Amino acid sequence: MKTLSIDVRRAEPQDARAISETHRLAWQHTYAGIIPHRALTQMIERRGESWWRKATRGPATLLVLDVAGTVAGYATLGLNRARALPQEGEIYELYLRPEYQGIGLGRMLFGEARRLLKSLGCNGLVVWCLEENENASDFYRNHGGVDFCEGMESFDHRQLKKIGFIWS
């Protein structure tokens, strides 16, 4: 019998290539048909290996979901950027490679991100997602998030609504 190791840990600079690939696959899977193709391609291309290498040393915390040595997902988190909201923490991104979605690993990564923010003294949490990203909206609702506020994002002159989910 073989044991499969699954771990959530802080990203290291040597994870940059794997995070870049995970980002590309997850974003193509998630946003194809939602974000205009040209804008989506440009957003993905801006975040290559060197971008992610710098991100491992940046002000935001970058976690990776490591499944038997494969970066299966990542989350970025830090202080809430929307100062009008009382929640102190924010998960900026949480993505899994498509083949790792729907089997409970997102819950694990989300839980670790929440625990880390709480351990850093952040009271409350906000997560934003595009309204048309129904999988993410359902995920956050199913994990206790309350859709509290809305905003807009522009992609190649297309306006898309985003929802702010909060946890107290």
Side-chain angles (χ1 to χ4, degrees):
M1 183 176 194
K2 239 182 167 178
T3 302
L4 178 67
S5 67
I6 301 173
D7 188 32
V8 177
R9 60 177 173 77
R10 287 189 186 243
E12 301 287 333
Q14 62 267 23
D15 294 319
R17 176 176 286 159
I19 299 168
S20 177
E21 179 68 5
T22 299
H23 169 260
R24 182 183 65 76
L25 293 169
W27 279 44
Q28 286 172 339
H29 177 78
T30 300
Y31 297 118
I34 296 174
I35 295 175
H37 180 74
R38 187 177 73 178
L40 178 58
T41 300
Q42 289 171 346
M43 291 167 71
I44 291 170
E45 288 175 357
R46 276 196 301 265
R47 290 196 184 183
E49 183 178 344
S50 63
W51 191 96
W52 286 105
R53 190 175 325 288
K54 289 177 193 164
T56 63
R57 297 184 202 102
T61 299
L62 177 55
L63 298 176
V64 292
L65 173 68
D66 185 313
V67 177
T70 297
V71 172
Y74 70 92
T76 58
L77 52 126
L79 296 176
N80 174 14
R81 298 171 290 183
R83 293 291 165 214
L85 297 175
Q87 289 72 26
E88 295 175 344
E90 181 176 353
I91 296 177
Y92 310 130
E93 296 181 82
L94 192 145
Y95 292 98
L96 299 178
R97 294 172 74 103
E99 64 268 29
Y100 290 96
Q101 294 177 14
I103 56 174
L105 296 174
R107 180 177 347 115
M108 182 180 182
L109 182 57
F110 181 67
E112 288 300 316
R114 288 184 70 185
R115 277 187 280 285
L116 179 56
L117 284 169
K118 190 171 187 100
S119 77
L120 296 172
C122 291
N123 292 312
L125 164 68
V126 64
V127 177
W128 293 90
C129 75
L130 293 178
E131 182 180 53
E132 289 185 47
N133 184 354
E134 293 176 12
N135 287 338
S137 296
D138 291 345
F139 177 86
Y140 294 124
R141 281 187 191 100
N142 290 337
H143 288 84
V146 176
D147 34 342
F148 182 75
C149 50
E150 297 177 350
M152 297 299 286
E153 289 283 334
S154 181
F155 302 94
D156 261 358
H157 309 293
R158 181 167 180 221
Q159 295 290 322
L160 296 175
K161 187 190 294 186
K162 63 182 180 179
I163 302 170
F165 289 90
I166 62 165
W167 291 258
S168 298

